[in-house]
Amino acid sequence: MQTAVAFSKVSRHFGQVRAVDGVDLEIGEGEFFAMLGPSGSGKTTCLRLIAGFEQPTFGHIEIFGETAEGVPPYRRNVNTVFQDYALFPHLSVADNVAYGPMIRGVPRAARMKAAEEALELVQLPGYGARQPGQLSGGQRQRVALARALVNKPKVLLLDEPLGALDLKLREQMQEELKTLQRSLGITFVFVTHDQGEALSMADRVAVFNHGRIMQVGAPEEIYRAPRSRFVADFVGSSNILPPEAVERFAGRKAWASLRPESIRLAATGGRAATVLGHSYLGAATRLTVDMDGQRLTVLLPAGADVPANGTRIEIEWKASDLHVMEDDT
Amino acid sequence: MTSPSHAILPGRGGMFGTLSDALWRNPRLLLFVMLAPPLLWLGVIYLGSLFALLAQSFFSIDEFSGLIRYEWTLKTYAELLRPSNLDIIARTVIMAVSVTLASAVIAFPIAYFAARYARGKWKALFYLGAMLPLWSSYLVKIYAWKLILAKEGILNWIFAKLHLTALLEAWLALPVIGGNSLSVSYTGTFLVFVYVWLPYMILPTQAALERVPESMLEASSDLGASPAQTFRHVLLPLALPGIIAGSIFTFSLTLGDYIIPQIIGSSRLFIGQAVYAHQGTAGNIPLAAAFTVVPIVIMGFYLWMAKRQGAFDAL
């Protein structure tokens, strides 16, 4: 597999702020790659470094083996779907989509045909004559996608593409984007702060914090084996156990992560705990329990008996579910 | 202190209490009270005088007695269309167009800088710089320019120091736009017009550019457009409404001005000067009125074109 994008020791400083701080990264061709992190973690700056809107302060970026630093955005065969879509308000939907071909000098008839094909691809056939202002948020997003895809980019960058959509539409678009990426085979790099979105869509996820990559890996790997407290806490929710407690359970003095859904109520032989509170989530019920001064969150599947607040219960988990973390950050 | 025990408080009573309750219940009444005085002013004083002016232009002057004959006639308009008067109109319109184009070209980079890059203190400085010329007296500025452009003025001095006097003289030797010195040439009139009206072009252009999000320009670049192509296909079309709004000011102000061409320029008349001369010394009120109708008609046409370009969509 060829490397689509490679960062080596890339930093981007804005004055005193190190937005991106020594990032090493390799994204393979045809990969669906997610950059996940809280706001200000450097993930969007990384995306902008690939697009060419930002230049690295230090380090080296290659796109398909070619040096990218110093190359302006308009000379990169990389296209972006912007967070605010950035559709041109003075152009019709078709002219928006045909903007790239128009700039390249494709004759009008040919580029209109290409635009219509791209609109069909994003399931907006026949919308070409409309103005961007007449479209809903979801439709604008599709137009932005078509406008990028019509250029057949080597890498497609998506900046929080689904952030502005409501839940139902977001789930639908997640599926569509995945299908589209598989069928086109284009490398997708998308930025999100929504860990659920990153886990469900991406082949691989990079978790960012403070301008650095905390962990890169397949979604299951990130979720099951977070390397640091930050990743354990940011990706899904987790019970982070301090080294003193972990020493008792696992014999090693290090931080560990225990996912709420891997804790079960035990009939006998478990560890004693007291129920502090519970909230009903529909598909599950979340209990807050106290185990020897250690507060834990427990996720009970729907249908299970929910003990009342204040009850003494016993809990257990498989030893393999207690994940001891390598880093102590 | 007693806390109110009722959910609904009693009326405040008195004339003002009753009045504010009444106005709250009838928002239209409030609107009427607020709008009636200015509308009355606009309707009677402004539009009334405009129509009086229009009516005047359909009267004529008795050539022997110099008195106005109050009979409807198009004679005055026939007089307006004499070659010498058409010259005045053409001269003024060409000047207004040139001033507008030059202002647009000069204002754009300034407005672009202010909209894209200036923040905080720099932005305040920009507004101050753009508005400052508007705060000082118009006449003072024009006389200052007369000194700058005079033969013994600072501009000539600078050209001499740069050994470019020959260039300036070659320019002044050109027909029509040249003259004895800059202060008595059309070039001088043009420079002063551009200086005086420039703020009216900068501010609307800056407002329009401010509304163009950064991501729009990035998107264009992302889709392969060079900076020049982005300017041509995205920035200019999006800034055009602001530029047109600014051009309405520069164009109409140049069309109507009679002081600048009188102080700086050749002795050939502009529309404003013609109106001034005809209603004053010549006492030919009908022709003065007819002359006044010319910029009104031109502006009406211009505004109609601007509306079709969408210059007012953002208002």
Side-chain angles (χ1 to χ4, degrees), chain A residues 48 74 79-80 84 90 99, chain B residues 215-216 218 220-222 233:
Chain A
R48 294 171 60 81
Y74 53 89
N79 288 114
T80 309
D84 64 355
H90 60 296
Y99 189 84
Chain B
S215 65
M216 211 73 88
E218 285 182 348
S220 172
S221 174
D222 187 71
H233 294 292

Side-chain angles (χ1 to χ4, degrees), chain A:
Chain A
M1 187 174 69
Q2 206 189 341
T3 305
V5 180
F7 277 35
S8 57
K9 299 202 172 36
V10 170
S11 294
R12 176 68 176 105
H13 300 177
F14 297 101
Q16 292 297 307
V17 183
R18 297 177 173 197
V20 173
D21 190 9
V23 164
D24 286 301
L25 183 64
E26 278 202 8
I27 301 172
E29 186 180 3
E31 207 174 10
F32 200 138
F33 193 87
M35 294 183 178
L36 173 67
S39 57
S41 62
K43 57 192 194 303
T44 298
T45 309
C46 273
L47 198 80
R48 294 171 60 81
L49 282 163
I50 304 174
F53 304 136
E54 302 287 349
Q55 295 293 328
T57 314
F58 304 111
H60 178 60
I61 300 175
E62 279 184 10
I63 302 175
F64 282 89
E66 292 184 79
T67 300
E69 57 263 25
V71 178
Y74 53 89
R75 277 182 42 220
R76 298 180 184 212
N77 197 359
V78 167
N79 288 114
T80 309
V81 175
F82 289 82
Q83 187 170 15
D84 64 355
Y85 314 139
L87 299 180
F88 304 123
H90 60 296
L91 299 180
S92 70
V93 166
D95 282 328
N96 261 284
V97 177
Y99 189 84
M102 187 267 287
I103 291 294
R104 286 197 307 274
V106 177
R108 184 161 181 87
R111 65 176 192 251
M112 283 300 143
K113 192 163 160 284
E116 183 54 34
E117 280 166 14
L119 284 171
E120 268 167 36
L121 198 65
V122 298
Q123 295 171 26
L124 283 180
Y127 276 68
R130 304 205 189 179
Q131 293 298 121
Q134 296 171 305
L135 303 181
S136 70
Q139 289 169 335
R140 273 181 228 182
Q141 218 251 320
R142 287 160 191 264
V143 174
L145 194 59
R147 186 177 67 173
L149 288 174
V150 77
N151 304 295
K152 304 195 167 54
K154 299 285 272 180
V155 182
L156 184 76
L157 307 174
L158 302 111
D159 186 7
E160 300 267 2
L162 311 175
L165 306 182
D166 60 52
L167 186 64
K168 271 266 176 277
L169 203 55
R170 198 153 64 209
E171 285 173 352
Q172 188 192 338
M173 277 308 287
Q174 284 179 10
E175 282 311 309
E176 276 185 40
L177 276 178
K178 244 160 76 175
T179 317
L180 206 58
Q181 196 266 340
R182 302 270 186 278
S183 66
L184 294 173
I186 295 176
T187 311
F188 275 35
V189 180
F190 89 106
V191 155
T192 181
H193 64 266
D194 181 338
Q195 46 94 17
E197 201 168 281
L199 294 184
S200 73
M201 290 169 78
D203 297 326
R204 280 198 309 149
V205 180
V207 185
F208 280 76
N209 194 30
H210 297 310
R212 294 163 190 258
I213 293 183
M214 306 303 287
Q215 192 169 356
V216 188
E220 309 85 66
E221 193 185 327
I222 300 265
Y223 189 80
R224 287 173 154 270
R227 268 228 296 271
S228 57
R229 275 185 284 158
F230 173 79
V231 175
D233 193 44
F234 191 75
V235 180
S237 61
S238 197
N239 296 299
I240 312 273
L241 302 178
E244 301 74 48
V246 175
E247 198 174 16
R248 273 189 285 143
F249 305 137
R252 257 181 75 190
K253 198 164 178 168
W255 292 88
S257 151
L258 184 60
R259 295 288 179 191
E261 66 274 17
S262 54
I263 305 177
R264 291 180 308 273
L265 299 188
T268 48
R271 297 172 193 282
T274 314
V275 178
L276 297 177
H278 63 273
S279 35
Y280 178 65
L281 304 177
T285 302
R286 186 172 58 211
L287 288 189
T288 312
V289 305
D290 178 278
M291 180 186 72
D292 302 337
Q294 174 70 41
R295 197 174 274 239
L296 293 176
T297 304
V298 179
L299 210 59
L300 296 180
D305 286 330
V306 179
N309 291 354
T311 340
R312 298 283 296 172
I313 55 167
E314 287 185 22
I315 55 174
E316 61 177 8
W317 58 83
K318 278 193 280 183
S320 61
D321 284 334
L322 183 74
H323 174 73
V324 180
M325 293 181 288
E326 294 160 34
D327 300 352
D328 64 346
T329 46

